[in-house]
Amino acid sequence: MNDQIRNISDTEWEIPQGFVSGMRVPGTFFLSHRLAEGLEEGALTQLANVATLPGILRCSLGMPDIHWGYGFPIGGVAAFDEDEGVISPGGVGFDINCGVRMITTALTAADIPDMKGLIEDLFATVPTGVGSKSPVRLSQHDLSNMLTDGAANAVELGYGMEGDVRRCEERGAMPGAELEFVSKKSRVRGIPQCGTLGSGNHFLEVQAIDEIADPATAKTFGVAEGQICVMIHCGSRGLGHQVCTDHLKVLEEAVKKYNIDLPDRQLACAPLHSPEGEAYFGAMAASANYAWANRQIITHLVRELLVKKFGIAYEEMPLVYDVAHNVAKWEEHEAADAAAGRSRVCVHRKGATRAFGPGRSEIVQEFRDAGQPVIIPGSMGTSSYLLAGTTTAMKRTFGSTCHGAGRVQSRSSAKRSLTGAAVASDLAKRGIIVRAPNAAAIAEEAPDVYKPSSEVVQVVHDAGISRIVARLRPLGVIKG
Amino acid sequence: MTFEELEHTADVRMRITAPTLPELFAESGFALAETLYGEYQRDAATVSFLIEAEGKDAEEKIVDFLSELLFLTETEYLVPVSFDLAADGNAVCGTVSGVLFDRTKHAGGIGVKGISYSGISFTKTAAGYELIIIFDI
């Protein structure tokens, strides 16, 4: 670890002001000593760079899955003052509202004797990988409704159940979507891709709940040991990517207009209430809503297949929750001086998850006393976790936690040292079936290229910024 | 081939070299295409599209050019096989020719979400030009 970094506790570290020039606040990140050994200098610099942005509050935060991204590090969180702060696509990412959801089923592993067959059928059902096309035919009018109403629009079109919507963060649709700031190019990319998984680290995984850590909360969330679940990880596809590309160009100019001094061009930003900042927010919110609809449509395709294959009822596959990983949102948080009460701030989460603690009105009624469900995916061969948000997260991290395991090895290095066939074969010996469009995709996303999900999750649990409820073991995976 | 992949934890980082600016843009286009599709045979072109990009500096011009190409790959299912480009002042324009995406030939790559400014480096060298750029995965 860089010797300027101060170790605060077994799970917490501080980057002092001055680590990079112009830091307005310190940086804080959460890592165990073991995970800290592998932290990249580039991620530290990015975390410090975020601390230079105007209006940043308290500190620039890094979750334990932190790694080198662009603009913000992946695993980065920052909140900005409404009057003095900025909004930056570099704090959201190209894949706006990349996120994850899980459904439970009435099945157990014993009900699925042919997992390979199920994975092949899912691969044939859910469009996956580069060049895939959606079975959904959207009109421009449909797309407009989707950009405004998100998951609810997908349900209205017949892709889901009414109860799904309330189990999504923001109830599956952020307010503030402004369609006039979503370009024609974004729409052209979005129409054929709605209902597709994409590629890279996006996946669809069949899992079994193999350990319950908190029986009372697990019961509240509707999960039980042995239950088969399906987890879906994807985002706003080309539509969101284009929105990011379009607005980065505008915000590059805004940086000069508003005399903002940036250490990294990818942190291009504008004051929150400037025309440029509000335009980006409106387009980003529309993209986030598209992403919720996208995951909703994929969920429907999965449910229909499971109904057909196993004769279970569609209604027996409720959504546990759906969380966003890449988004900027207006939220109410306590000021650093608690006596000052709550204030409205814009929280950027880039590869991080909202983890609101018990009592927050944003959490759906049936989960409000337990805290918001938090879904942390593993990596093909490692476990995923269901957690709950905490009061500590509200105080320390603007109600945020990690979003996954976090990469430690590059894609090129993975392809040099591993073959897709060997990774798939090794996983098959451990009872995990993997299917992808090509072998390289399997090698690039091998479990060994990620931090162990158990260690990452243990850090957020030990730091108190979320608490473990259940562990899920992978049985079959589709990689995009 | 005048591009090579460099180390990057999460994304794809490329170094591209070429003796002239139009060739640098073309090689950057192929670097993007091989990221998307894996190595592929450059068959005789069956489709072509105009491509235009602009920017206040070389970095913005190349990001804009590659973003335009990415748009064509996603919306026209274009797999590029040749470029005919002219770079002039703040703009680059010309034609990209190629074939349509075929899953049996072009499914060896990974989706690119966007072209990043992070760590971008554009340098004039004794032999021409060098570009280092990250494709967001």
Short mmCIF file of all heavy atoms in Angstrom, two decimals, chain B residues 15 27 95 113 124:
data_model
loop_
_atom_site.label_atom_id
_atom_site.label_comp_id
_atom_site.label_asym_id
_atom_site.label_seq_id
_atom_site.Cartn_x
_atom_site.Cartn_y
_atom_site.Cartn_z
N ARG B 15 -2.67 0.03 -27.80
CA ARG B 15 -1.68 0.93 -28.39
C ARG B 15 -1.74 0.74 -29.90
O ARG B 15 -1.64 -0.37 -30.40
CB ARG B 15 -0.27 0.64 -27.88
CG ARG B 15 0.75 1.53 -28.63
CD ARG B 15 2.09 1.62 -27.96
NE ARG B 15 2.64 0.31 -27.70
CZ ARG B 15 3.38 0.02 -26.62
NH1 ARG B 15 3.63 0.95 -25.73
NH2 ARG B 15 3.87 -1.19 -26.47
N GLU B 27 -6.48 2.02 -38.41
CA GLU B 27 -6.00 0.96 -37.51
C GLU B 27 -6.75 0.99 -36.18
O GLU B 27 -7.02 -0.06 -35.59
CB GLU B 27 -4.49 1.12 -37.27
CG GLU B 27 -3.63 0.69 -38.45
CD GLU B 27 -3.89 -0.76 -38.87
OE1 GLU B 27 -4.00 -1.64 -37.98
OE2 GLU B 27 -4.00 -1.01 -40.08
N THR B 95 -15.03 6.83 -45.95
CA THR B 95 -15.93 5.69 -46.10
C THR B 95 -15.37 4.50 -45.31
O THR B 95 -14.17 4.27 -45.31
CB THR B 95 -16.02 5.28 -47.58
OG1 THR B 95 -16.39 6.43 -48.32
CG2 THR B 95 -17.03 4.18 -47.80
N LYS B 113 -18.76 -0.72 -24.64
CA LYS B 113 -19.82 0.21 -24.27
C LYS B 113 -19.52 1.62 -24.75
O LYS B 113 -20.43 2.37 -25.09
CB LYS B 113 -20.01 0.20 -22.75
CG LYS B 113 -20.56 -1.12 -22.23
CD LYS B 113 -20.56 -1.15 -20.72
CE LYS B 113 -21.08 -2.50 -20.22
NZ LYS B 113 -20.81 -2.70 -18.80
N LYS B 124 2.86 12.33 -31.58
CA LYS B 124 3.57 12.33 -32.87
C LYS B 124 4.94 11.71 -32.61
O LYS B 124 5.64 12.11 -31.68
CB LYS B 124 3.70 13.80 -33.35
CG LYS B 124 4.42 13.95 -34.66
CD LYS B 124 3.44 14.03 -35.81
CE LYS B 124 4.15 14.30 -37.13
NZ LYS B 124 4.90 13.15 -37.67
#
